[in-house]
Amino acid sequence: MRDSVTVGLMAYSLVHASSFIDPSLFIGSVEDRVVVLVIGSGGREHALCYALKQSPSCDAVFCAPGNAGISNSGDATCISDLDISNSSAVISFCHKWGVGLVVVGPEAPLVAGFSNDLVKAGIPSFGPSSEVAALEGSKNFMKNLCDKYGIPTAKGSLMDFISSFRSIVR
């Protein structure tokens, strides 16, 4: 497993440069081929499955729940009945099928602590912890953090009721 700086740089390049994902960055060498599970069902996850399938370090790719495009392309085996909102079910699947890396695409499971649960279970995860995911997952959290540390950001207000919204808009 690589250090957090290397993983952070890989994450940055994935998000900002759409670079190729190579599982060997997580597992060591091509001889140590890995089974990967991609969590999600959108275009981003399809691109991840495609890139992973191309890697000589990748033995197989599963995608849960996946979609028809992923399934029809042959880039991954879609597991539509795996409950991706239940980290225990995903961890059981990983143990049963020998999954050595989970790539979490959607924001909601990351904010809920999906990567935290996988790491606790000894399964490497490509995705931020719930604490880091909160930066993207909660606009209010991010605004408060920026205010606290004097980080420039656009003006914003938290609205609980429509009457509050109307008073701000006027």
Side-chain angles (χ1 to χ4, degrees):
M1 189 60 98
R2 304 295 170 125
D3 63 33
S4 60
V5 173
T6 303
V7 172
L9 290 172
M10 290 184 303
Y12 178 85
S13 77
L14 171 67
V15 171
H16 296 284
S18 299
S19 64
F20 183 78
I21 303 168
D22 187 351
S24 69
L25 297 170
F26 294 91
I27 60 169
S29 67
V30 174
E31 293 82 39
D32 301 326
R33 293 172 56 92
V34 67
V35 175
V36 180
L37 171 62
V38 176
I39 301 293
S41 61
R44 167 182 34 206
E45 289 77 29
H46 191 163
L48 289 166
C49 290
Y50 173 81
L52 287 162
K53 185 76 170 183
Q54 307 307 309
S55 173
S57 303
C58 191
D59 195 35
V61 181
F62 291 107
C63 188
N67 63 40
I70 295 169
S71 183
N72 291 339
S73 69
D75 292 327
T77 301
C78 292
I79 313 297
S80 60
D81 60 346
L82 182 58
D83 181 1
I84 63 167
S85 66
N86 180 343
S87 61
S88 295
V90 173
I91 290 166
S92 293
F93 177 88
C94 291
H95 288 308
K96 179 179 179 180
W97 291 95
V99 173
L101 174 65
V102 177
V103 180
V104 185
E107 180 182 305
L110 293 168
V111 172
F114 209 84
S115 288
N116 303 52
D117 295 344
L118 290 165
V119 170
K120 284 179 194 169
I123 301 166
S125 172
F126 188 85
S129 67
S130 60
E131 296 82 6
V132 175
L135 296 172
E136 178 64 22
S138 171
K139 305 310 177 225
N140 189 50
F141 174 80
M142 189 64 196
K143 289 288 184 189
N144 289 337
L145 187 73
C146 289
D147 289 344
K148 179 178 179 179
Y149 293 102
I151 301 168
T153 184
K155 188 175 175 182
S157 298
L158 179 63
M159 305 293 157
D160 289 336
F161 299 100
I162 193 72
S163 59
S164 298
F165 174 73
R166 286 186 180 132
S167 69
I168 295 290
V169 173
R170 292 181 188 171

